[in-house]
Amino acid sequence: MAESASIQKLLDELERLPGVGPKSAQRIAFWLLNADTVTARRLADAIIEVKQTVHFCNTCFNYAEADECSICADPTRDHTTICVVEEPRDVTAIERTGEFSGVYHVLGGVISPMDGIGPEQLHVRELMSRLSDDAVKEVILATNPNVEGETTAVYLARMIKPLNVTVTRLASGLPVGGDLEYADEVTLGRAIEARRAM
Amino acid sequence: MAESASIQKLLDELERLPGVGPKSAQRIAFWLLNADTVTARRLADAIIEVKQTVHFCNTCFNYAEADECSICADPTRDHTTICVVEEPRDVTAIERTGEFSGVYHVLGGVISPMDGIGPEQLHVRELMSRLSDDAVKEVILATNPNVEGETTAVYLARMIKPLNVTVTRLASGLPVGGDLEYADEVTLGRAIEARRAM
């Protein structure tokens, strides 16, 4: 390989991205070399801007540009229903279905003793304090339908039920062992519609 | 979708990249959001740096950081054999085989009357002036084995033969209608080894 040093550096950085192997990295690098400077600059700026402006919502821990994310700050959303998810990408997946008008709570992961992650490492305490003010009527547990997700859901259900809040789980219909992020809109929408009491 | 404005902007820019659809763009965006700022910054900087430092080689029109690319500037390469390719990515593909020790000439495309591209739009004049100083003994035509690539090779062969320079073409063995960029090293290496006179 006789790539110039700066092309090699770009290839190295591109190959770190998820789903980008050596061939795709090369395709993207040559595309960028071919593109006009403004286009390349816009991508670089978008990367820098997103890191500078995006933080976590103080309420639900979704990504946000202000103290609160756009969903928590929206008065037309149903603030009495909280959908608990593992990661911000799951918020995106559920929003895409258009079936949910409540608000979210992002745990930042799942309970996984193998990886040394217990409830203390997740935003569980903050969820409980959101539930302490009596306004919340229902919590939908939308963790992934796999072992860790189910464990986390069972744990949370046990914590929340004594507070007299309805606890529901996404309906089965999601392929077990799969990943919520990759479910298609219809399946995920139906799963929200047919959520079952726990 | 309730993405923040700067996440949406990043998604838009990522989706422009070749081979990156909405799902991959989202995966990459969330990965960048999750990554530490230094990692994200390194990618942004690599993109900007490559656009600032990489230009075209004055001799062969490959990508270069100086006036000449590292291959043209290398005295250990055989400057009497020129391999003519369509694009800089084809240089990378041939270098990867390790079968070629000569130098290159990047045309910047192929003759394609449908797209209004004739020899004048390519670096053909510059190739002819490289051949005018008698030092070059062989020109290998390594345009892609498809209609435009063959047309260009035939055109160049007719131009070059009167100069008393050996003109060769990559051996068949490359799948016809395919793209040189995606050939595996062994196939491409063998094609260079068994190049035929035109």
Side-chain angles (χ1 to χ4, degrees), chain A residues 3-6 9 13 16 18 23 26-27 30-33 35 42 49 51 53-54 63 65 89 92 96 181-182, chain B residues 3-6 9 13 16 18 23 26-27 30-33 35 42 49 51 53-54 63 65 92 96 181-182:
Chain A
E3 300 299 4
S4 85
S6 59
K9 207 192 289 174
E13 295 303 327
R16 286 173 206 273
K23 286 256 166 175
Q26 204 188 304
R27 249 181 107 194
F30 281 123
W31 184 90
L32 284 166
L33 280 163
R42 263 209 314 266
E49 194 191 314
K51 295 302 286 184
T53 61
V54 176
Y63 290 124
E65 292 195 41
R89 60 170 175 259
T92 304
R96 214 161 28 211
E181 181 187 4
Y182 297 110
Chain B
E3 301 298 4
S4 85
S6 59
K9 207 190 288 174
E13 295 305 328
R16 285 173 208 274
K23 288 257 165 175
Q26 205 189 301
R27 250 181 107 194
F30 281 124
W31 185 89
L32 284 166
L33 280 163
R42 262 209 313 266
E49 194 190 315
K51 294 302 286 185
T53 61
V54 176
Y63 290 124
E65 292 195 42
T92 304
R96 213 158 33 211
E181 183 187 3
Y182 297 109

Tab-separated table of all heavy atoms in Angstrom, chain A residues 3-6 9 13 16 18 23 26-27 30-33 35 42 49 51 53-54 63 65 89 92 96 181-182, chain B residues 3-6 9 13 16 18 23 26-27 30-33 35 42 49 51 53-54 63 65 92 96 181-182:
chain	number	residue	atom	x	y	z
A	3	GLU	N	-0.415	4.439	0.327
A	3	GLU	CA	-1.312	5.548	0.616
A	3	GLU	C	-0.517	6.668	1.263
A	3	GLU	O	0.451	6.431	1.969
A	3	GLU	CB	-2.405	5.111	1.601
A	3	GLU	CG	-3.279	3.978	1.132
A	3	GLU	CD	-4.056	4.304	-0.133
A	3	GLU	OE1	-3.868	5.387	-0.690
A	3	GLU	OE2	-4.831	3.440	-0.566
A	4	SER	N	-0.957	7.888	1.046
A	4	SER	CA	-0.317	8.997	1.728
A	4	SER	C	-0.666	8.900	3.203
A	4	SER	O	-1.634	8.249	3.597
A	4	SER	CB	-0.822	10.313	1.148
A	4	SER	OG	-2.026	10.687	1.764
A	5	ALA	N	0.157	9.537	4.041
A	5	ALA	CA	-0.021	9.435	5.496
A	5	ALA	C	-1.409	9.890	5.923
A	5	ALA	O	-2.043	9.258	6.766
A	5	ALA	CB	1.049	10.259	6.197
A	6	SER	N	-1.896	10.962	5.327
A	6	SER	CA	-3.186	11.467	5.800
A	6	SER	C	-4.348	10.619	5.290
A	6	SER	O	-5.376	10.508	5.952
A	6	SER	CB	-3.362	12.943	5.445
A	6	SER	OG	-3.293	13.126	4.070
A	9	LYS	N	-4.370	7.758	7.710
A	9	LYS	CA	-4.944	8.170	8.998
A	9	LYS	C	-6.471	8.174	8.911
A	9	LYS	O	-7.157	7.679	9.815
A	9	LYS	CB	-4.421	9.577	9.357
A	9	LYS	CG	-4.386	9.842	10.851
A	9	LYS	CD	-4.149	11.314	11.166
A	9	LYS	CE	-2.732	11.771	10.858
A	9	LYS	NZ	-2.603	13.245	11.048
A	13	GLU	N	-9.229	5.828	11.028
A	13	GLU	CA	-10.340	6.372	11.824
A	13	GLU	C	-11.671	5.824	11.329
A	13	GLU	O	-12.556	5.504	12.124
A	13	GLU	CB	-10.344	7.904	11.785
A	13	GLU	CG	-9.109	8.561	12.439
A	13	GLU	CD	-8.916	8.136	13.886
A	13	GLU	OE1	-9.926	7.891	14.575
A	13	GLU	OE2	-7.761	8.022	14.322
A	16	ARG	N	-12.703	2.328	12.517
A	16	ARG	CA	-13.205	2.178	13.884
A	16	ARG	C	-14.724	2.194	13.936
A	16	ARG	O	-15.324	1.701	14.884
A	16	ARG	CB	-12.769	3.379	14.740
A	16	ARG	CG	-11.336	3.387	15.129
A	16	ARG	CD	-11.038	4.728	15.815
A	16	ARG	NE	-9.644	5.048	15.669
A	16	ARG	CZ	-8.712	4.624	16.520
A	16	ARG	NH1	-9.046	3.918	17.559
A	16	ARG	NH2	-7.441	4.934	16.323
A	18	PRO	N	-18.677	1.478	13.540
A	18	PRO	CA	-19.369	0.193	13.516
A	18	PRO	C	-19.865	-0.123	12.109
A	18	PRO	O	-20.396	0.749	11.427
A	18	PRO	CB	-20.549	0.411	14.473
A	18	PRO	CG	-20.776	1.886	14.461
A	18	PRO	CD	-19.427	2.514	14.283
A	23	LYS	N	-12.746	-2.383	3.264
A	23	LYS	CA	-13.227	-2.021	1.926
A	23	LYS	C	-14.172	-0.816	1.978
A	23	LYS	O	-14.088	0.074	1.142
A	23	LYS	CB	-13.956	-3.217	1.275
A	23	LYS	CG	-12.996	-4.312	0.819
A	23	LYS	CD	-12.792	-4.299	-0.697
A	23	LYS	CE	-11.575	-5.155	-1.050
A	23	LYS	NZ	-11.360	-5.309	-2.479
A	26	GLN	N	-12.267	2.344	2.634
A	26	GLN	CA	-11.594	2.835	1.438
A	26	GLN	C	-12.579	3.529	0.497
A	26	GLN	O	-12.277	4.593	-0.049
A	26	GLN	CB	-10.955	1.656	0.731
A	26	GLN	CG	-9.793	2.071	-0.136
A	26	GLN	CD	-9.319	0.907	-0.976
A	26	GLN	OE1	-8.975	-0.155	-0.461
A	26	GLN	NE2	-9.336	1.102	-2.271
A	27	ARG	N	-13.754	2.930	0.355
A	27	ARG	CA	-14.781	3.533	-0.517
A	27	ARG	C	-15.160	4.910	-0.012
A	27	ARG	O	-15.297	5.859	-0.784
A	27	ARG	CB	-16.033	2.659	-0.510
A	27	ARG	CG	-16.287	1.972	-1.829
A	27	ARG	CD	-17.548	1.161	-1.762
A	27	ARG	NE	-18.636	1.765	-2.514
A	27	ARG	CZ	-19.910	1.402	-2.395
A	27	ARG	NH1	-20.243	0.467	-1.526
A	27	ARG	NH2	-20.830	1.988	-3.121
A	30	PHE	N	-12.188	7.459	-0.495
A	30	PHE	CA	-12.049	7.943	-1.868
A	30	PHE	C	-13.229	8.834	-2.250
A	30	PHE	O	-13.077	9.784	-3.004
A	30	PHE	CB	-11.895	6.777	-2.856
A	30	PHE	CG	-10.498	6.218	-2.880
A	30	PHE	CD1	-10.248	4.885	-2.630
A	30	PHE	CD2	-9.417	7.059	-3.137
A	30	PHE	CE1	-8.954	4.382	-2.634
A	30	PHE	CE2	-8.118	6.570	-3.148
A	30	PHE	CZ	-7.892	5.220	-2.895
A	31	TRP	N	-14.393	8.524	-1.696
A	31	TRP	CA	-15.563	9.379	-1.953
A	31	TRP	C	-15.311	10.775	-1.376
A	31	TRP	O	-15.585	11.791	-2.028
A	31	TRP	CB	-16.809	8.751	-1.319
A	31	TRP	CG	-18.080	9.489	-1.601
A	31	TRP	CD1	-18.925	9.289	-2.661
A	31	TRP	CD2	-18.660	10.546	-0.828
A	31	TRP	NE1	-19.988	10.152	-2.574
A	31	TRP	CE2	-19.852	10.935	-1.469
A	31	TRP	CE3	-18.292	11.191	0.355
A	31	TRP	CZ2	-20.681	11.951	-0.968
A	31	TRP	CZ3	-19.102	12.198	0.850
A	31	TRP	CH2	-20.283	12.572	0.191
A	32	LEU	N	-14.744	10.819	-0.166
A	32	LEU	CA	-14.457	12.110	0.469
A	32	LEU	C	-13.382	12.863	-0.304
A	32	LEU	O	-13.449	14.081	-0.464
A	32	LEU	CB	-14.013	11.912	1.918
A	32	LEU	CG	-15.134	11.571	2.916
A	32	LEU	CD1	-14.553	11.073	4.229
A	32	LEU	CD2	-16.016	12.796	3.162
A	33	LEU	N	-12.363	12.140	-0.790
A	33	LEU	CA	-11.300	12.782	-1.569
A	33	LEU	C	-11.864	13.380	-2.851
A	33	LEU	O	-11.429	14.427	-3.311
A	33	LEU	CB	-10.208	11.764	-1.910
A	33	LEU	CG	-9.224	11.484	-0.776
A	33	LEU	CD1	-8.465	10.198	-1.025
A	33	LEU	CD2	-8.254	12.648	-0.634
A	35	ALA	N	-15.089	14.297	-3.241
A	35	ALA	CA	-16.131	15.276	-2.942
A	35	ALA	C	-15.528	16.674	-2.846
A	35	ALA	O	-14.332	16.828	-2.630
A	35	ALA	CB	-16.808	14.917	-1.623
A	42	ARG	N	-18.615	19.750	5.896
A	42	ARG	CA	-19.917	19.673	6.572
A	42	ARG	C	-20.001	18.434	7.450
A	42	ARG	O	-20.545	18.476	8.544
A	42	ARG	CB	-21.045	19.646	5.538
A	42	ARG	CG	-21.685	21.001	5.285
A	42	ARG	CD	-23.136	20.873	4.858
A	42	ARG	NE	-23.325	19.845	3.846
A	42	ARG	CZ	-23.333	20.091	2.538
A	42	ARG	NH1	-23.187	21.322	2.088
A	42	ARG	NH2	-23.503	19.114	1.684
A	49	GLU	N	-19.905	19.228	16.031
A	49	GLU	CA	-21.047	19.910	16.636
A	49	GLU	C	-21.852	18.974	17.529
A	49	GLU	O	-22.282	19.351	18.621
A	49	GLU	CB	-21.952	20.484	15.535
A	49	GLU	CG	-22.963	21.495	16.065
A	49	GLU	CD	-24.015	21.851	15.017
A	49	GLU	OE1	-23.625	22.103	13.870
A	49	GLU	OE2	-25.203	21.865	15.363
A	51	LYS	N	-20.884	16.467	19.188
A	51	LYS	CA	-20.195	16.207	20.454
A	51	LYS	C	-20.244	17.420	21.373
A	51	LYS	O	-20.186	17.290	22.588
A	51	LYS	CB	-18.734	15.809	20.207
A	51	LYS	CG	-18.543	14.510	19.470
A	51	LYS	CD	-19.172	13.322	20.162
A	51	LYS	CE	-18.404	12.862	21.399
A	51	LYS	NZ	-19.006	11.633	21.981
A	53	THR	N	-22.741	19.889	21.330
A	53	THR	CA	-24.065	20.364	21.739
A	53	THR	C	-24.932	19.291	22.386
A	53	THR	O	-25.864	19.619	23.097
A	53	THR	CB	-24.847	20.914	20.520
A	53	THR	OG1	-25.017	19.853	19.585
A	53	THR	CG2	-24.099	22.052	19.861
A	54	VAL	N	-24.628	18.011	22.128
A	54	VAL	CA	-25.534	16.982	22.636
A	54	VAL	C	-25.072	16.453	23.991
A	54	VAL	O	-23.926	16.026	24.136
A	54	VAL	CB	-25.676	15.831	21.624
A	54	VAL	CG1	-26.533	14.722	22.194
A	54	VAL	CG2	-26.272	16.349	20.333
A	63	TYR	N	-30.619	11.707	24.710
A	63	TYR	CA	-29.767	12.784	24.212
A	63	TYR	C	-30.576	14.065	24.109
A	63	TYR	O	-31.758	14.044	23.754
A	63	TYR	CB	-29.193	12.437	22.836
A	63	TYR	CG	-28.166	11.340	22.885
A	63	TYR	CD1	-28.300	10.187	22.131
A	63	TYR	CD2	-27.039	11.461	23.708
A	63	TYR	CE1	-27.354	9.174	22.191
A	63	TYR	CE2	-26.089	10.445	23.768
A	63	TYR	CZ	-26.256	9.316	23.006
A	63	TYR	OH	-25.314	8.321	23.062
A	65	GLU	N	-30.203	18.666	23.543
A	65	GLU	CA	-29.330	19.824	23.311
A	65	GLU	C	-29.489	20.857	24.410
A	65	GLU	O	-28.628	21.704	24.606
A	65	GLU	CB	-29.629	20.443	21.940
A	65	GLU	CG	-29.208	19.510	20.821
A	65	GLU	CD	-29.144	20.200	19.473
A	65	GLU	OE1	-28.660	21.341	19.403
A	65	GLU	OE2	-29.583	19.586	18.483
A	89	ARG	N	-30.938	4.999	21.448
A	89	ARG	CA	-31.349	4.518	20.126
A	89	ARG	C	-32.710	3.832	20.189
A	89	ARG	O	-33.436	3.779	19.193
A	89	ARG	CB	-30.305	3.583	19.522
A	89	ARG	CG	-30.043	2.346	20.342
A	89	ARG	CD	-29.172	1.341	19.582
A	89	ARG	NE	-28.855	0.236	20.470
A	89	ARG	CZ	-27.698	0.084	21.106
A	89	ARG	NH1	-26.728	0.950	20.935
A	89	ARG	NH2	-27.485	-0.944	21.912
A	92	THR	N	-35.407	6.382	19.710
A	92	THR	CA	-35.578	6.641	18.277
A	92	THR	C	-36.441	5.563	17.634
A	92	THR	O	-37.342	5.856	16.848
A	92	THR	CB	-34.201	6.663	17.587
A	92	THR	OG1	-33.397	7.626	18.244
A	92	THR	CG2	-34.322	7.033	16.122
A	96	ARG	N	-40.262	6.176	16.067
A	96	ARG	CA	-40.503	5.908	14.658
A	96	ARG	C	-41.826	5.184	14.432
A	96	ARG	O	-42.412	5.269	13.360
A	96	ARG	CB	-39.350	5.079	14.099
A	96	ARG	CG	-39.037	5.392	12.676
A	96	ARG	CD	-37.656	4.934	12.274
A	96	ARG	NE	-37.171	3.790	13.012
A	96	ARG	CZ	-35.883	3.583	13.289
A	96	ARG	NH1	-34.974	4.454	12.904
A	96	ARG	NH2	-35.510	2.526	13.952
A	181	GLU	N	-33.626	-2.339	18.596
A	181	GLU	CA	-33.202	-1.337	17.617
A	181	GLU	C	-33.504	-1.747	16.171
A	181	GLU	O	-33.735	-0.910	15.314
A	181	GLU	CB	-31.701	-1.121	17.793
A	181	GLU	CG	-31.071	-0.104	16.879
A	181	GLU	CD	-29.564	-0.098	17.017
A	181	GLU	OE1	-29.026	-0.946	17.763
A	181	GLU	OE2	-28.929	0.753	16.379
A	182	TYR	N	-33.472	-3.077	15.911
A	182	TYR	CA	-33.603	-3.514	14.530
A	182	TYR	C	-35.003	-3.988	14.164
A	182	TYR	O	-35.232	-4.455	13.053
A	182	TYR	CB	-32.587	-4.635	14.240
A	182	TYR	CG	-31.185	-4.135	14.378
A	182	TYR	CD1	-30.389	-4.548	15.437
A	182	TYR	CD2	-30.675	-3.193	13.487
A	182	TYR	CE1	-29.118	-4.064	15.595
A	182	TYR	CE2	-29.404	-2.697	13.643
A	182	TYR	CZ	-28.623	-3.141	14.696
A	182	TYR	OH	-27.372	-2.655	14.842
B	3	GLU	N	-35.263	13.498	16.946
B	3	GLU	CA	-33.826	13.668	17.115
B	3	GLU	C	-33.527	15.143	17.323
B	3	GLU	O	-34.231	16.002	16.805
B	3	GLU	CB	-33.078	13.197	15.861
B	3	GLU	CG	-33.302	11.769	15.487
B	3	GLU	CD	-32.832	10.776	16.530
B	3	GLU	OE1	-32.389	11.220	17.604
B	3	GLU	OE2	-32.951	9.576	16.294
B	4	SER	N	-32.482	15.426	18.041
B	4	SER	CA	-32.070	16.815	18.181
B	4	SER	C	-31.559	17.298	16.833
B	4	SER	O	-31.175	16.499	15.970
B	4	SER	CB	-30.986	16.934	19.239
B	4	SER	OG	-29.729	16.670	18.675
B	5	ALA	N	-31.561	18.615	16.645
B	5	ALA	CA	-31.183	19.178	15.344
B	5	ALA	C	-29.779	18.753	14.931
B	5	ALA	O	-29.539	18.416	13.774
B	5	ALA	CB	-31.281	20.704	15.398
B	6	SER	N	-28.847	18.723	15.881
B	6	SER	CA	-27.475	18.409	15.480
B	6	SER	C	-27.293	16.917	15.216
B	6	SER	O	-26.475	16.534	14.389
B	6	SER	CB	-26.460	18.927	16.506
B	6	SER	OG	-26.694	18.380	17.762
B	9	LYS	N	-28.625	16.549	11.732
B	9	LYS	CA	-27.666	17.067	10.759
B	9	LYS	C	-26.568	16.032	10.492
B	9	LYS	O	-26.198	15.785	9.346
B	9	LYS	CB	-27.046	18.370	11.292
B	9	LYS	CG	-26.580	19.307	10.209
B	9	LYS	CD	-25.752	20.454	10.768
B	9	LYS	CE	-26.561	21.466	11.533
B	9	LYS	NZ	-25.693	22.488	12.185
B	13	GLU	N	-25.634	14.022	6.951
B	13	GLU	CA	-24.299	14.010	6.335
B	13	GLU	C	-23.786	12.583	6.173
B	13	GLU	O	-23.189	12.246	5.152
B	13	GLU	CB	-23.306	14.833	7.173
B	13	GLU	CG	-23.619	16.321	7.226
B	13	GLU	CD	-23.731	16.963	5.851
B	13	GLU	OE1	-23.032	16.526	4.932
B	13	GLU	OE2	-24.539	17.906	5.700
B	16	ARG	N	-25.056	10.554	3.173
B	16	ARG	CA	-24.494	10.856	1.857
B	16	ARG	C	-23.372	9.908	1.487
B	16	ARG	O	-23.052	9.738	0.318
B	16	ARG	CB	-23.855	12.255	1.862
B	16	ARG	CG	-24.820	13.388	1.823
B	16	ARG	CD	-24.028	14.688	2.012
B	16	ARG	NE	-24.860	15.681	2.610
B	16	ARG	CZ	-25.669	16.480	1.917
B	16	ARG	NH1	-25.684	16.400	0.613
B	16	ARG	NH2	-26.429	17.351	2.526
B	18	PRO	N	-21.026	6.726	0.604
B	18	PRO	CA	-21.362	5.535	-0.181
B	18	PRO	C	-21.517	4.325	0.728
B	18	PRO	O	-20.710	4.123	1.634
B	18	PRO	CB	-20.151	5.381	-1.103
B	18	PRO	CG	-19.031	6.050	-0.374
B	18	PRO	CD	-19.653	7.190	0.370
B	23	LYS	N	-30.070	3.155	8.446
B	23	LYS	CA	-29.760	2.350	9.642
B	23	LYS	C	-28.287	2.441	10.013
B	23	LYS	O	-27.937	2.578	11.177
B	23	LYS	CB	-30.142	0.876	9.412
B	23	LYS	CG	-31.635	0.626	9.398
B	23	LYS	CD	-32.131	0.000	10.706
B	23	LYS	CE	-33.642	0.106	10.794
B	23	LYS	NZ	-34.238	-0.551	11.950
B	26	GLN	N	-27.474	5.779	11.492
B	26	GLN	CA	-27.899	5.879	12.877
B	26	GLN	C	-26.940	5.149	13.808
B	26	GLN	O	-26.567	5.656	14.868
B	26	GLN	CB	-29.285	5.263	12.984
B	26	GLN	CG	-30.071	5.811	14.153
B	26	GLN	CD	-31.347	5.030	14.356
B	26	GLN	OE1	-32.175	4.959	13.442
B	26	GLN	NE2	-31.506	4.447	15.510
B	27	ARG	N	-26.500	3.959	13.370
B	27	ARG	CA	-25.551	3.202	14.185
B	27	ARG	C	-24.267	3.992	14.391
B	27	ARG	O	-23.709	4.032	15.486
B	27	ARG	CB	-25.192	1.899	13.468
B	27	ARG	CG	-25.772	0.678	14.161
B	27	ARG	CD	-25.353	-0.567	13.422
B	27	ARG	NE	-24.345	-1.331	14.128
B	27	ARG	CZ	-23.628	-2.305	13.569
B	27	ARG	NH1	-23.808	-2.620	12.299
B	27	ARG	NH2	-22.727	-2.965	14.273
B	30	PHE	N	-24.887	7.085	16.736
B	30	PHE	CA	-24.967	6.738	18.155
B	30	PHE	C	-23.612	6.282	18.679
B	30	PHE	O	-23.265	6.522	19.829
B	30	PHE	CB	-26.049	5.677	18.405
B	30	PHE	CG	-27.439	6.263	18.423
B	30	PHE	CD1	-28.434	5.805	17.583
B	30	PHE	CD2	-27.742	7.298	19.305
B	30	PHE	CE1	-29.704	6.367	17.596
B	30	PHE	CE2	-29.019	7.863	19.329
B	30	PHE	CZ	-29.991	7.395	18.473
B	31	TRP	N	-22.840	5.638	17.829
B	31	TRP	CA	-21.500	5.231	18.230
B	31	TRP	C	-20.646	6.466	18.519
B	31	TRP	O	-19.926	6.515	19.511
B	31	TRP	CB	-20.866	4.387	17.116
B	31	TRP	CG	-19.516	3.814	17.458
B	31	TRP	CD1	-19.252	2.625	18.055
B	31	TRP	CD2	-18.235	4.434	17.218
B	31	TRP	NE1	-17.897	2.466	18.197
B	31	TRP	CE2	-17.257	3.539	17.704
B	31	TRP	CE3	-17.838	5.644	16.646
B	31	TRP	CZ2	-15.894	3.835	17.625
B	31	TRP	CZ3	-16.479	5.930	16.570
B	31	TRP	CH2	-15.519	5.038	17.054
B	32	LEU	N	-20.758	7.476	17.642
B	32	LEU	CA	-19.990	8.713	17.838
B	32	LEU	C	-20.453	9.436	19.103
B	32	LEU	O	-19.641	9.987	19.849
B	32	LEU	CB	-20.136	9.634	16.630
B	32	LEU	CG	-19.326	9.224	15.389
B	32	LEU	CD1	-19.804	9.992	14.164
B	32	LEU	CD2	-17.837	9.472	15.617
B	33	LEU	N	-21.779	9.449	19.346
B	33	LEU	CA	-22.307	10.100	20.548
B	33	LEU	C	-21.770	9.410	21.799
B	33	LEU	O	-21.515	10.041	22.814
B	33	LEU	CB	-23.833	10.062	20.541
B	33	LEU	CG	-24.490	11.126	19.668
B	33	LEU	CD1	-25.937	10.775	19.381
B	33	LEU	CD2	-24.411	12.500	20.342
B	35	ALA	N	-18.917	7.632	21.924
B	35	ALA	CA	-17.453	7.649	21.951
B	35	ALA	C	-16.962	8.876	22.717
B	35	ALA	O	-17.693	9.851	22.877
B	35	ALA	CB	-16.917	7.679	20.522
B	42	ARG	N	-10.831	13.080	16.375
B	42	ARG	CA	-9.790	12.522	15.497
B	42	ARG	C	-10.346	12.215	14.119
B	42	ARG	O	-9.689	12.453	13.101
B	42	ARG	CB	-9.204	11.242	16.109
B	42	ARG	CG	-7.906	11.474	16.848
B	42	ARG	CD	-7.021	10.230	16.801
B	42	ARG	NE	-7.767	9.033	17.113
B	42	ARG	CZ	-7.857	8.491	18.321
B	42	ARG	NH1	-7.224	9.027	19.339
B	42	ARG	NH2	-8.566	7.399	18.510
B	49	GLU	N	-8.056	17.142	7.396
B	49	GLU	CA	-6.641	17.087	6.999
B	49	GLU	C	-6.481	16.499	5.605
B	49	GLU	O	-5.706	16.998	4.789
B	49	GLU	CB	-5.855	16.252	8.017
B	49	GLU	CG	-4.347	16.427	7.861
B	49	GLU	CD	-3.568	15.429	8.698
B	49	GLU	OE1	-3.925	15.234	9.878
B	49	GLU	OE2	-2.615	14.837	8.151
B	51	LYS	N	-8.488	16.568	3.143
B	51	LYS	CA	-8.892	17.515	2.115
B	51	LYS	C	-7.862	18.638	1.956
B	51	LYS	O	-7.727	19.221	0.891
B	51	LYS	CB	-10.261	18.122	2.438
B	51	LYS	CG	-11.411	17.127	2.409
B	51	LYS	CD	-11.565	16.431	1.067
B	51	LYS	CE	-12.156	17.312	-0.007
B	51	LYS	NZ	-12.397	16.553	-1.247
B	53	THR	N	-4.450	18.376	2.704
B	53	THR	CA	-3.089	17.983	2.320
B	53	THR	C	-3.019	17.166	1.037
B	53	THR	O	-1.975	17.114	0.409
B	53	THR	CB	-2.407	17.162	3.437
B	53	THR	OG1	-3.174	15.980	3.640
B	53	THR	CG2	-2.349	17.947	4.733
B	54	VAL	N	-4.141	16.513	0.676
B	54	VAL	CA	-4.046	15.604	-0.471
B	54	VAL	C	-4.458	16.306	-1.766
B	54	VAL	O	-5.538	16.880	-1.858
B	54	VAL	CB	-4.898	14.334	-0.239
B	54	VAL	CG1	-4.881	13.438	-1.465
B	54	VAL	CG2	-4.377	13.571	0.967
B	63	TYR	N	-3.368	10.453	-6.050
B	63	TYR	CA	-3.379	11.344	-4.885
B	63	TYR	C	-1.973	11.478	-4.327
B	63	TYR	O	-1.206	10.513	-4.311
B	63	TYR	CB	-4.308	10.799	-3.795
B	63	TYR	CG	-5.764	10.891	-4.163
B	63	TYR	CD1	-6.570	9.759	-4.155
B	63	TYR	CD2	-6.332	12.105	-4.527
B	63	TYR	CE1	-7.916	9.835	-4.501
B	63	TYR	CE2	-7.669	12.188	-4.884
B	63	TYR	CZ	-8.462	11.055	-4.869
B	63	TYR	OH	-9.776	11.144	-5.224
B	65	GLU	N	0.637	14.011	-1.418
B	65	GLU	CA	0.711	15.095	-0.443
B	65	GLU	C	1.735	16.143	-0.862
B	65	GLU	O	1.700	17.266	-0.392
B	65	GLU	CB	1.046	14.539	0.945
B	65	GLU	CG	-0.105	13.720	1.491
B	65	GLU	CD	0.024	13.449	2.975
B	65	GLU	OE1	0.408	14.359	3.723
B	65	GLU	OE2	-0.265	12.312	3.380
B	92	THR	N	-4.370	1.784	-5.685
B	92	THR	CA	-4.367	1.082	-4.403
B	92	THR	C	-4.577	-0.410	-4.603
B	92	THR	O	-3.889	-1.237	-4.010
B	92	THR	CB	-5.497	1.632	-3.511
B	92	THR	OG1	-5.316	3.039	-3.394
B	92	THR	CG2	-5.468	1.006	-2.131
B	96	ARG	N	-1.729	-3.346	-3.839
B	96	ARG	CA	-2.013	-4.393	-2.865
B	96	ARG	C	-1.567	-5.775	-3.358
B	96	ARG	O	-1.296	-6.659	-2.557
B	96	ARG	CB	-3.521	-4.406	-2.583
B	96	ARG	CG	-3.851	-4.791	-1.172
B	96	ARG	CD	-5.220	-4.314	-0.750
B	96	ARG	NE	-6.185	-4.301	-1.840
B	96	ARG	CZ	-7.204	-3.433	-1.918
B	96	ARG	NH1	-7.383	-2.537	-0.965
B	96	ARG	NH2	-8.036	-3.468	-2.918
B	181	GLU	N	-11.663	-2.476	-8.779
B	181	GLU	CA	-11.521	-2.148	-7.355
B	181	GLU	C	-11.850	-3.328	-6.445
B	181	GLU	O	-11.329	-3.437	-5.351
B	181	GLU	CB	-12.458	-0.976	-7.044
B	181	GLU	CG	-12.402	-0.464	-5.640
B	181	GLU	CD	-13.501	0.573	-5.400
B	181	GLU	OE1	-14.307	0.822	-6.332
B	181	GLU	OE2	-13.552	1.103	-4.292
B	182	TYR	N	-12.796	-4.199	-6.885
B	182	TYR	CA	-13.252	-5.265	-5.992
B	182	TYR	C	-12.599	-6.610	-6.254
B	182	TYR	O	-12.956	-7.593	-5.615
B	182	TYR	CB	-14.772	-5.396	-6.088
B	182	TYR	CG	-15.461	-4.148	-5.637
B	182	TYR	CD1	-16.103	-3.322	-6.547
B	182	TYR	CD2	-15.417	-3.766	-4.297
B	182	TYR	CE1	-16.701	-2.155	-6.134
B	182	TYR	CE2	-16.013	-2.590	-3.878
B	182	TYR	CZ	-16.653	-1.783	-4.800
B	182	TYR	OH	-17.227	-0.622	-4.388
